[in-house]
Amino acid sequence: MIINHPLLGPRDAAEFVYLGDASLIDRPDWQDEDAMDQFHAYGYLRDNPAGEHKELWYHEQGDRSWLVVTRNTLTHEITNVEIARDVARARGRDK
Amino acid sequence: MRYSGFKVLWQGLTGNKGWTRAWREPEPKPEYDIIIIGGGGHGLSTAYYLSKEFGMTNVAVLEKGWLGSGNIGRNTTIIRSNYLLPGNEPFYELSMKLWENLEQDTNYNSMVSQRSILNLIHTDGQRDAFVRRGNAMFLAGADAELVDAAQLREELPFLDYDNARFPIKGGLFQRRGGTARHDAVAWGYARGADSRGVDIIQNCEVTGIDIENGRCVGVQTSRGAIRAKKVAMCVAGSSGRVAAMAGMRLPIESHVLQAFVSEGLKPTLPGVITFGAGHFYVSQSDKGGLVFGGDIDGYNTYAQRGNLPVVEDVCEGGMAIMPMIGRARLLRSWGGVMDMSMDGSPFIDKTHIDGLYFNGGWCYGGFKATPASGFCYAHLLARDTPHPVATQMRLDRFMTGNLIDEKGVGNQPNLH
């Protein structure tokens, strides 16, 4: 698989480390009433879709950026690559 | 029809005209006591033990494709019970005992071959860990044997003992481990279940799970609706997709694991050899090909194929412990989709929906578990209580903190 890095251009997926579902960006608030349920779902449960999947990849052998890659889990086709920091900020995170 | 050596001889002398089909091809009935979703190894063994051990024969196995078309035909055929934790080891030892009697039990030649499995030791720390594991195996009634490098050199002279990075210091044998003919396991269970009245319905895809008032009452399929008192999911690899029909999210990611076969060679490997430091496991099939595998590719996928970096990594692992295979040509490689659970251990449990049961999360240890998985799932379905060796394989164990963390590294979906 080739990941089209927004800054570095097309790079071999072997340069990256895979973390998992991009929903891992949305860490629950530990002070919420149902924080325990939220953290259980955050830490362990996954949508695991067959089809389009937004996921976190880390460019360990490159510029060490975190990316949000939109990839089809049935065909391995990658349709979108974003810098994870931009995605997190767009969702209201401060960093 | 009962199979025997005499029958093979007689049929050979009379033109092989007397063989009958091994199982029927029935039309689905409108209602069953139990529907098993998934006609793979685990689904078929569940049906077999339900009918044989628990007297439940009003059972249907629904299979989307053809019988045994999933991971039961895509694994590296290794059987073993060399686990550590009390939540795992007694279960896998039950499986090993069922393997040992499988052919007599099902009257089907599954080619179970107890040719031994060896885990290599490279460091003092690893030796301590394997001593502990061996003792845990003894406690569960399994066999284990610790050997030093000198003894290994006699038995397996072709290993690279003086490897600079991972010198081989010894190994832990389980002599009762080995291999089995994977497809024949599915066929044997199918034939045994069918002969006791279980309907095995192929080309019947489940498209929905019917839930009324919090209770599962049946399934929608590509061949119409079928009602059932109990519905049992048994679709490791596709668990996420099937459970989503019931609105469930699982502690599972689907990943691809590749497997490989070399060209046929003369007999060279006496048993199964595993190299934990680099992750490589290999055995030689009866046809002569080296059957081997290593790590998962490491990203979510439902495609039954992997990518080249892992092919290279696995072959490097093989070269690191047995350089003699360097001239052998790789003949075939393929991928199977694994339910990678968050602690590397499986689930055999009820769900929060009455009448809906779940079996999955086998990571890449599903094949060896086939008999015990079916036996324990059948026990749960028939009696609504877990089998004593499967009490820890709960779906809610991440909420309660009772992980079966065999590797001791916490939650991440790349364990096995």
Side-chain angles (χ1 to χ4, degrees), chain A residues 1 12-14 18-21 23-24 36-37 40-51 53 55 57 71-76, chain B residues 237 239-241 244 248-256 298-303 305-307 309 339 342 395-396 398-399 403 411 413:
Chain A
M1 289 189 295
D12 190 330
Y18 178 84
L19 180 66
D21 196 307
S23 66
L24 291 169
M36 190 150 124
D37 289 331
H40 171 249
Y42 173 80
Y44 299 111
L45 304 183
R46 297 287 183 268
D47 287 337
N48 195 21
H53 189 225
E55 55 203 20
W57 291 74
R71 190 177 56 92
N72 189 315
T73 58
L74 291 166
T75 62
H76 296 171
Chain B
S239 291
R241 281 201 268 189
M248 291 171 62
R249 290 175 84 215
L250 299 171
I252 286 172
E253 288 183 3
S254 295
H255 287 250
V256 66
Y299 44 80
N300 283 47
T301 177
Y302 284 91
R305 59 187 164 76
N307 274 303
D339 269 13
M342 288 289 166
L395 253 180
D396 66 354
F398 299 102
M399 191 53 157
L403 278 66
N411 69 306

Side-chain angles (χ1 to χ4, degrees), chain A residues 22-67:
Chain A
S23 66
L24 291 169
I25 290 174
D26 305 317
R27 190 178 174 83
D29 185 345
W30 63 276
Q31 290 179 308
D32 277 356
E33 283 281 307
D34 59 343
M36 190 150 124
D37 289 331
Q38 284 189 46
F39 270 103
H40 171 249
Y42 173 80
Y44 299 111
L45 304 183
R46 297 287 183 268
D47 287 337
N48 195 21
E52 194 174 273
H53 189 225
K54 282 186 184 298
E55 55 203 20
L56 286 164
W57 291 74
Y58 176 57
H59 199 191
E60 190 176 40
Q61 309 290 328
D63 69 345
R64 307 217 159 181
S65 57
W66 282 96
L67 303 180

